[in-house]
Amino acid sequence: MLRTLGEFIVEKQKDFPHARGELSALLSAVRLAAKICHREINKAGLGDIMGEAGEINAQGESQKKLDVFANERFKAALEARGEVCGIASEEEDHFVIFDNELSRDGSYVVLMDPLDGSSNIDVNVSVGTIFSIYKRVTPVGSSVSMEDFLQPGRKQVAAGYVIYGSSTMLVYTTGNGVHGFTYDPSLGLFCLSHENMRTPDDGNIYSINEGNYHKFPMGVKKYIKYCQEPDASPRHPYTARYIGSLVSDFHRNLIKGGIYLYPPTAKTPKGKLRLLYECNPLAFMIEQAGGKASDGSQPVLDIQPESLHQRTPFYVGSPKMVDKVENLIQEFKEQD
Ligand code: P6P
């Protein structure tokens, strides 16, 4: 029996704190923006062709980089719903205040990476949107401020991603399990396809850019060699899978079991990934699915953020695999 995202949200509304339709309004904004981005991403190559006549495409719209396009679409959809008083985005240097009658009394803030891995679009590889939702901590009706955005990941009330892959999926949690919806463009509907997703306790897929090997912490080097040992366990040797698109690698490992690692490197001594709108939402989701997410020494969700765009090392996936790499990082940290 087909169950749509809208129906599922209403069904689960009681799970969302202070529910008075807030969850449905928030997630319906994400749903709308996701549909619009799906449409543009799925014809990105054509966009270039249509845009050959200067900067104007066949619809008379100015050609935009898709991550800027996605940022504008999600911002507009969230502002139009009135529940959100401000957003932070990888595409915005500062947080954006929604200063209008409708949004000023909004109780929520949203942080997002509107199109993660957008450089993959040129080579037709999956990309994703990642979002994180908090209840504001400053008084409703006052102007949203930085402290509303710099909350530890443990305080998230909802989080999710959209993966624009062989199919487009919206996967989210409100703290009551992780649920996946597959988009049917012929109906214009997200349909429940993965209810209550759980990640396997252990796995044999490791996802890391081994090109940075020489600059990894010693414990990470030891972990990579452990994965490659032929007979360290019945699962060995592990399989290396690295798409170069965080949401895609995360989604595959969530379903099959595995670990994604982005350690500190020479170029990015704090790691490359952003704490607030990449790591925290995915950490919330993986914990809700029975997995773990660490910065190498503590759960990512416990980090007290200090700035909007701060980075963190990120180890996320099956709990036994995250434990193993954490233990090796701690065991060999004197050699870093
Ligand atoms: P590297 C894409 O730019 C991204 O933010 C993630 O989607 C991806 O996992 C990672 O960076 C890839 O980074 O340094 O391996 O190319």
Side-chain angles (χ1 to χ4, degrees):
M1 186 260 280
L2 183 145
R3 289 164 76 190
T4 68
L5 174 58
E7 289 160 347
F8 191 83
I9 292 169
V10 171
E11 203 184 293
K12 300 288 181 185
Q13 188 65 48
K14 67 187 181 318
D15 298 335
F16 201 61
H18 319 293
R20 53 177 180 75
E22 294 165 334
L23 168 67
S24 42
L26 258 169
L27 287 176
S28 73
V30 172
R31 178 180 57 198
L32 171 63
K35 290 180 184 178
I36 295 171
C37 291
H38 161 89
R39 185 190 62 194
E40 291 310 305
I41 289 163
N42 276 267
K43 60 178 186 181
L46 290 176
D48 293 346
I49 296 166
M50 291 190 304
E52 262 173 354
E55 288 300 303
I56 302 296
N57 67 16
Q59 287 82 20
E61 294 154 353
S62 66
Q63 286 282 314
K64 292 192 183 309
K65 273 168 63 74
L66 272 172
D67 41 15
V68 173
F69 175 84
N71 188 56
E72 288 171 358
R73 298 277 39 94
F74 276 92
K75 233 179 3 179
L78 289 166
E79 183 163 20
R81 285 292 193 289
E83 300 298 346
V84 180
C85 54
I87 63 106
S89 166
E90 176 158 77
E91 298 299 325
E92 307 275 354
D93 291 343
H94 305 290
F95 62 81
V96 176
I97 300 172
F98 289 163
D99 196 10
N100 61 58
E101 281 315 302
L102 195 62
S103 309
R104 203 166 294 126
D105 295 337
S107 307
Y108 297 90
V109 294
V110 177
L111 298 95
M112 64 181 176
D113 184 353
L115 204 58
D116 177 73
S118 52
S119 56
N120 289 304
I121 287 182
D122 303 343
V123 293
N124 207 1
V125 164
S126 307
V127 290
T129 297
I130 310 171
F131 61 90
S132 168
I133 302 173
Y134 293 83
K135 211 149 169 56
R136 69 181 299 178
V137 291
T138 53
V140 172
S142 65
S143 238
V144 70
S145 64
M146 186 61 91
E147 67 181 298
D148 292 310
F149 296 97
L150 298 185
Q151 301 183 53
R154 203 66 73 195
K155 297 279 191 190
Q156 290 174 96
V157 293
Y161 57 80
V162 184
I163 178 168
Y164 310 95
S166 44
S167 68
T168 290
M169 280 190 70
L170 191 155
V171 184
Y172 81 92
T173 184
T174 58
N176 296 281
V178 176
H179 310 290
F181 298 78
T182 300
Y183 185 53
D184 179 340
S186 67
L187 297 174
L189 291 173
F190 279 99
C191 305
L192 182 65
S193 53
H194 299 67
E195 185 166 7
N196 203 19
M197 299 174 80
R198 304 290 295 169
T199 198
D201 219 23
D202 203 349
N204 71 347
I205 296 172
Y206 69 105
S207 308
I208 187 168
N209 181 344
E210 293 192 45
N212 299 316
Y213 179 86
H214 288 293
K215 297 295 180 192
F216 285 155
M218 181 54 75
V220 173
K221 289 181 179 176
K222 294 289 185 187
Y223 184 71
I224 292 172
K225 293 307 167 200
Y226 165 76
C227 294
Q228 294 167 345
E229 280 171 20
D231 48 15
S233 83
R235 293 175 183 276
H236 279 75
Y238 284 8
T239 296
R241 285 282 182 276
Y242 193 67
I243 300 170
S245 180
L246 171 59
V247 173
S248 307
D249 281 313
F250 178 89
H251 185 72
R252 181 206 51 246
N253 292 351
L254 168 63
I255 292 171
K256 290 179 173 276
I259 184 170
Y260 172 98
L261 308 91
Y262 209 103
T265 67
K267 262 194 316 182
T268 53
K270 288 254 185 238
K272 173 182 185 182
L273 301 181
R274 309 288 186 170
L275 172 62
L276 290 184
Y277 42 77
E278 290 175 333
C279 300
N280 270 341
L282 297 183
F284 184 18
M285 296 183 75
I286 202 70
E287 287 200 2
Q288 280 291 309
K292 292 185 88 167
S294 166
D295 69 353
S297 62
Q298 64 180 317
V300 163
L301 293 178
D302 293 340
I303 298 173
Q304 174 53 55
E306 287 158 13
S307 65
L308 277 188
H309 302 290
Q310 77 182 66
R311 302 173 193 268
T312 177
F314 195 44
Y315 308 93
V316 61
S318 296
K320 288 201 171 127
M321 301 178 87
V322 175
D323 286 343
K324 179 72 178 173
V325 72
E326 256 192 344
N327 294 337
L328 288 169
I329 288 171
Q330 295 312 315
E331 183 181 345
F332 291 94
K333 67 181 172 188
E334 303 311 319
Q335 297 184 33
D336 291 346

